[in-house]
């Protein structure tokens, strides 16, 4: 590195951590030390937190490992949902886990905000239900007989603690930014939409009781959807996200659809302020890796197809051998024997 670059980096570092991106707390996923924090002082050694989040850490130290878990599942889910897109939710190793692309008001940023605030609500609620946190437990107040004739009982997921913790922790950087900032309004809206994706997809699980499983009595309780389901819901919201801009109504600033012909968005929808870049070329300053080297699908006309994925640059084709289990036979008793089949497949990668 040139001496000048080093100087710049040193000068910029405090600005980045202080001013910070609103999603720097996701860096908790990369700090295994959160697992074994015993005393409040340990909070100060964590990186990526705002002052307000640091205070929450000191006050609720036992919850922090589940915030870390929330960060982890949301990064994994983002990578799953975006695996076939040009921007594939790669983490880059820095404090801004996805790079600057997520700080720019795009629909990708909307998704990251929604999935990560959902991730914290989800992980904390799960910990509550499993009895891993003292401050919360499961909901035993859903009682009585339902209209369908089953008995409510047992341990329903109680989302209220997890949701309010996510609101305090994940929304904290925005509250500091001030409510007149469009970015704060956008992020807060998407954070809430993420949590709503859990709330509006709660499921009922039941167990039968009675002579040899006759189901004379059914007891049921409410559970959160699997996190994959939350990811699927939010990915659909990403596809249909509304572009918005700021408007003053009286003394209040609100975000309204940019195109006035579009229907208003709901609390469950994702909104964004700026169009996304095309993500075709490497732009490390903004954390964009580009699509060179990405695998593409030669027969698809969608975004995973070679034409769109490679941005018209063309692609290389190589042959690869895949080994699969095949001709499996069941053997009495009880094992399954398979052969190994070797197949040659063509793998296309973007130039
Ligand atoms: C995303 O794509 C890049 C290449 O652009 C690749 O190096 C990386 O492994 C991919 N990340 C994930 C999470 O699939
Ligand atoms: C759910 O948790 C909240 C906060 O921990 C508590 O106040 C509330 O009573 C619980 N609800 C039920 C129905 O158990
Ligand atoms: C490629 O795309 C086609 C058409 O969309 C699809 O049927 C096929 O399963 C895809 N192949 C792979 C390997 O994803």
């Amino acid at each position: 590195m040139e001496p000048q670059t080093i100087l710049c980096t040193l000068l910029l570092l405090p600005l980045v951590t202080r001013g910070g991106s609103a999603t720097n707390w996701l860096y908790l996923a990369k700090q295994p030390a959160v697992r074994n924090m015993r005393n409040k002082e340990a909070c100060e050694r964590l990186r990526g937190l705002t002052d307000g989040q640091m205070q929450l850490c000191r006050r609720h130290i036992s919850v922090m490992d589940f915030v870390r878990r929330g960060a982890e599942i949301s990064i994994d889910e983002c990578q799953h949902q975006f695996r076939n897109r040009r921007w594939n939710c790669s983490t880059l190793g820095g404090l801004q886990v996805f790079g600057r692309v997520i700080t720019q008001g795009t629909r990708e940023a909307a998704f990251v905000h929604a999935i990560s605030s959902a991730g914290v609500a989800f992980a904390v609620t799960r910990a509550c239900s499993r009895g891993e946190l003292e401050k919360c437990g499961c909901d035993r107040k859903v009682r009585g007989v339902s209209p369908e004739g089953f008995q409510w009982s047992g341990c329903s997921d109680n989302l209220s603690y997890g949701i309010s913790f996510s609101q305090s922790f994940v929304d904290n950087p925005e509250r500091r930014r001030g409510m007149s900032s469009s970015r704060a309004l956008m992020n807060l809206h998407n954070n809430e939409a993420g949590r709503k994706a859990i709330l509006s997809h709660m499921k009922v699980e039941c167990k039968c009781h009675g002579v040899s499983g006759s189901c004379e009595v059914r007891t049921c309780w409410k559970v959160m959807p699997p996190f994959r389901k939350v990811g699927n819901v939010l990915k659909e919201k990403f596809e249909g996200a509304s572009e918005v801009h700021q408007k003053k109504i009286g003394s209040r600033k609100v975000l309204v659809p940019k195109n006035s012909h579009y229907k208003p968005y709901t609390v469950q929808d994702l909104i964004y302020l700026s169009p996304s870049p095309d993500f075709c070329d490497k732009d490390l300053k903004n954390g964009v890796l580009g699509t060179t080297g990405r695998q593409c699908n030669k027969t698809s006309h969608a975004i995973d197809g070679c034409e769109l994925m490679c941005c018209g640059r063309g692609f290389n084709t190589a042959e690869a051998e895949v080994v699969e289990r095949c001709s499996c036979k069941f053997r009495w008793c009880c094992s399954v024997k398979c052969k190994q089949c070797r197949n040659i497949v063509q793998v296309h990668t973007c130039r």
Side-chain angles (χ1 to χ4, degrees), residues 52 54 78 349:
M54 194 77 82
C78 184
T349 49

Side-chain angles (χ1 to χ4, degrees), residues 144-158:
V145 178
S146 82
E148 295 86 359
F150 58 72
Q151 185 83 29
W152 284 113
S153 88
C155 179
S156 288
D157 280 332
N158 179 358

Side-chain angles (χ1 to χ4, degrees), residues 84 295-302 304:
N84 292 326
Q295 244 186 62
C296 60
N297 180 334
K298 199 177 163 187
T299 52
S300 165
H301 295 290
D304 64 336

Side-chain angles (χ1 to χ4, degrees), residues 104-117:
Q104 289 162 355
T106 56
R107 61 167 90 209
E108 283 76 14
F111 181 87
V112 167
H113 274 269
I115 197 78
S116 55
S117 67

Side-chain angles (χ1 to χ4, degrees), residues 51-235:
D51 294 342
Q53 288 171 331
M54 194 77 82
Q55 274 176 24
L56 284 164
C57 175
R58 295 172 65 93
R59 258 187 282 145
H60 305 276
I61 195 155
S62 57
V63 186
M64 290 311 287
D65 193 34
F66 302 106
V67 178
R68 179 194 63 76
R69 182 80 192 119
E72 220 168 57
I73 60 174
S74 32
I75 293 171
D76 286 352
E77 189 55 30
C78 184
Q79 293 184 345
H80 172 78
Q81 295 293 339
F82 283 74
R83 67 198 180 285
N84 292 326
R85 294 188 63 91
R86 287 181 188 161
W87 182 73
N88 65 0
C89 210
S90 295
T91 56
L92 306 168
L95 203 52
Q96 289 185 339
V97 292
F98 301 119
R100 275 179 50 187
V101 63
I102 285 317
T103 68
Q104 289 162 355
T106 56
R107 61 167 90 209
E108 283 76 14
F111 181 87
V112 167
H113 274 269
I115 197 78
S116 55
S117 67
V120 170
F122 187 94
V124 172
T125 302
R126 173 146 292 177
C128 295
S129 294
R130 290 181 175 166
E132 292 169 324
L133 283 170
E134 273 173 23
K135 294 163 205 160
C136 59
C138 57
D139 188 343
R140 295 187 185 276
K141 286 189 199 139
V142 187
R143 290 232 161 266
V145 178
S146 82
E148 295 86 359
F150 58 72
Q151 185 83 29
W152 284 113
S153 88
C155 179
S156 288
D157 280 332
N158 179 358
L159 273 154
S160 64
Y161 186 80
I163 296 266
S164 65
F165 195 86
S166 168
Q167 282 166 339
S168 320
F169 188 90
V170 179
D171 293 0
N172 175 276
E174 315 302 340
R175 304 206 183 288
R176 203 186 40 169
R177 215 196 286 244
M179 297 306 284
S180 60
S181 139
S182 334
R183 281 306 308 286
L185 291 173
M186 166 183 155
N187 294 346
L188 286 171
H189 174 92
N190 293 323
N191 289 351
E192 196 57 35
R195 294 181 286 254
K196 286 278 189 304
I198 305 179
L199 277 168
S200 57
H201 292 85
M202 294 294 284
K203 292 190 310 179
V204 174
E205 270 182 6
C206 297
K207 199 161 103 185
C208 283
H209 309 269
V211 194
S212 56
S214 64
C215 220
E216 271 163 63
V217 181
R218 218 153 46 112
T219 54
C220 304
W221 57 94
K222 290 184 187 169
V223 292
M224 292 186 290
F227 201 61
R228 173 59 32 88
K229 169 79 182 170
V230 176
N232 292 344
V233 167
L234 292 175
K235 177 67 182 328

